Structure formats: structure tokens, C-alpha cells
Amino acid sequence: MQRKAYVPGAAVLLAALLAGCTGASDDGGSPTDSKGGDTGTTAVAAQPGKYRTLPEACGAVDHDTLDALLPGIGQLPDAAQQEQAYEGEAALTYDTDRRDGCSWKVESASATDHLSIAFERVVSYDNTVSDDNKAEELYSTQETAADLPEPAATGSDASSSPGGDAGTPSGDAGSSDSGGGNDSGGSGSEPTPSGSGSPAETSAALQPRVLDDLADQAFLNDKLSAGSSTARQRTVTVVFRTSNVIVTIEYAEQPTASGGVPDSEEMQDRARKLADVLAGKLDG
């Protein structure tokens, strides 16, 4: 009889213990399952970029634009040579949906002109970083490396000293005496570009700078080679980012005449117009 009385008592105690454990779990009092709290906090993968393909670089610039950038094409003696010049030279690439480029080089009676364009579609392999953010990071690295000068003062704040040096931005090492560095066309040996502004205002408008009216981000650089007995080469570079694509334009000219200096305003205008064309190709 004592043994029969003991067994039911043990069963009641065990049932009470089990009920207590179940109640604690239902009330959320004891977080015994670490996975339970993670079901609603799964990280959302970063969004892919807008662009999945790239334009064909050598076909992205039409003949009229190339005629303006490379005037020597029109001076070639026959149609076959002109057609070859229009085609350009494709850059070596193993995936044209990720990178593509093309270059042209044409000599004329007055100068040798060189043009290159490059497309890069950025893909982030980090699920926490979007393609756009990765492209922005890469673009910012290029802009920082360009070491653009601070915007020059204009109007009443600009220097009023006479002579060609008044149009030279602060920190510009591209004068005819020193050469090199960023140059905005303010060299004393170079005629002031046409326009209604003062020399200082005109030079400030042409200095290397960030471009606020092109794509998502953009900058323009303008460099003049060091002075020497030969003609000086000017190189205008425009880099812009639209979504997850970065486009680089490099336009260079070297006159054939000794001591010649390419016109900054004219070259920048041509490069900017090409940038607008290429931005339209991406969205077209």
C-alpha cells in the first residue's frame, strides 16, 4: 500500500515540473532558443545597379562628333583611311558588359589629337553594399586622385592685377614658365578665351573642377605639359558616374608648331559635349 501511494505522488510532481517549464516558454520568460529572436531581423540584400550592360565603346561616338574632336580625319586623303580612323581601336577586355573602351589618334596639318573613352560597370560583391554605393566609392577615389584645386574667387573677389597671370588659378603650376600640373588656360603665353567675363572670371570657369550638371557625379581636369622647345600637349579629362557606371573621357592635343599651346576653352567644350552624348547613350 505504501508503494502504490508513492508512485502517484511522483507522477504529480513530474507533471508539475513539466507544466512549469512549458509555462515559462510560453510567457517568453526564458530565451532558451537563440534562433527565435532572429526570424524578423534578416538583413535585406543591397540593391543591384541600374545598368546590366554597357554601350559598345567604339560605336558610341558618331562621325560628326569625331570630326569636331579629331579634325585631322577630314584631311585624310581617301575615304578608306577616313573610315578606318572613325572605327577607332577597341580596348582589350574580357567582358564587354563590365568594361569597354576605345581610342582614336589622328594627325592633322596643325596638331595631333588623341581621344579615348572607357566604360566601367561596377558590381558589388558585398551583399551589404549596393552597386551604386560601390561605384560612388570608386568614383570618389578618382576625384580625390585628380587633386582638383579649390574653386577660384570671381567678380569683386578675383584678383584685379593686370596681365595674363591674373587669370591663373591659385596653385596652378601650368604657366608657360613652370609647366605641369593642372592648367586652366590662364598661361601668359596663351590668348584669353573669348567671353564677356574678365580674364580672372574666365579662368575660374575653366579651371579643373567638379561638374554639377552632369550625371550623378562628375569632374573635369585640365593639364598642360611642361614647357619646352616643342609644342605643349593639353589633356582634358572628364569622369562621370551615373548609377553603377563610371565613364572616363580623355582628350589630348599637341600642336605641330613649336611653342604652340592648345586652347583650353575649346577642348573643354568638346569634351563636355561628348560627355553629354555618352550619358545619353547609357540612358538611351
Side-chain angles (χ1 to χ4, degrees), residues 33-216:
D33 187 357
S34 61
K35 295 182 180 179
D38 295 337
T39 57
T41 60
T42 303
V44 178
Q47 293 296 311
K50 175 181 178 180
Y51 300 103
R52 302 297 181 90
T53 61
L54 292 172
E56 193 271 313
C58 286
V61 188
D62 61 37
H63 286 194
D64 289 342
T65 302
L66 287 173
D67 285 339
L69 291 158
L70 310 167
I73 291 180
Q75 299 176 17
L76 293 173
D78 59 65
Q81 288 180 313
Q82 291 182 6
E83 190 59 34
Q84 185 177 5
Y86 283 129
E87 289 178 359
E89 182 177 350
L92 178 63
T93 180
Y94 298 100
D95 184 355
T96 54
D97 285 336
R98 288 293 306 276
R99 294 177 184 270
D100 199 13
C102 194
S103 62
W104 298 260
K105 184 177 181 180
V106 183
E107 295 181 2
S108 69
S110 59
T112 297
D113 293 286
H114 178 274
L115 170 69
S116 68
I117 62 174
F119 296 102
E120 179 182 2
R121 183 174 66 90
V122 179
V123 177
S124 172
Y125 294 101
D126 185 344
N127 287 336
T128 64
V129 179
S130 70
D131 292 348
D132 280 22
N133 287 343
K134 184 63 176 179
E136 182 177 0
E137 176 186 332
L138 295 177
Y139 166 85
S140 297
T141 299
Q142 293 187 51
E143 184 182 308
T144 300
D147 193 23
L148 304 179
E150 292 294 326
T154 58
S156 59
D157 295 330
S159 172
S160 59
S161 61
D165 290 339
T168 303
S170 175
D172 187 343
S175 69
S176 58
D177 294 330
S178 60
N182 293 333
D183 184 88
S184 62
S187 168
S189 64
E190 187 176 353
T192 301
S194 60
S196 59
S198 68
E201 290 172 334
T202 302
S203 182
L206 294 176
Q207 72 173 346
R209 62 199 180 277
V210 170
L211 303 174
D212 296 325
D213 56 348
L214 176 62
D216 295 327

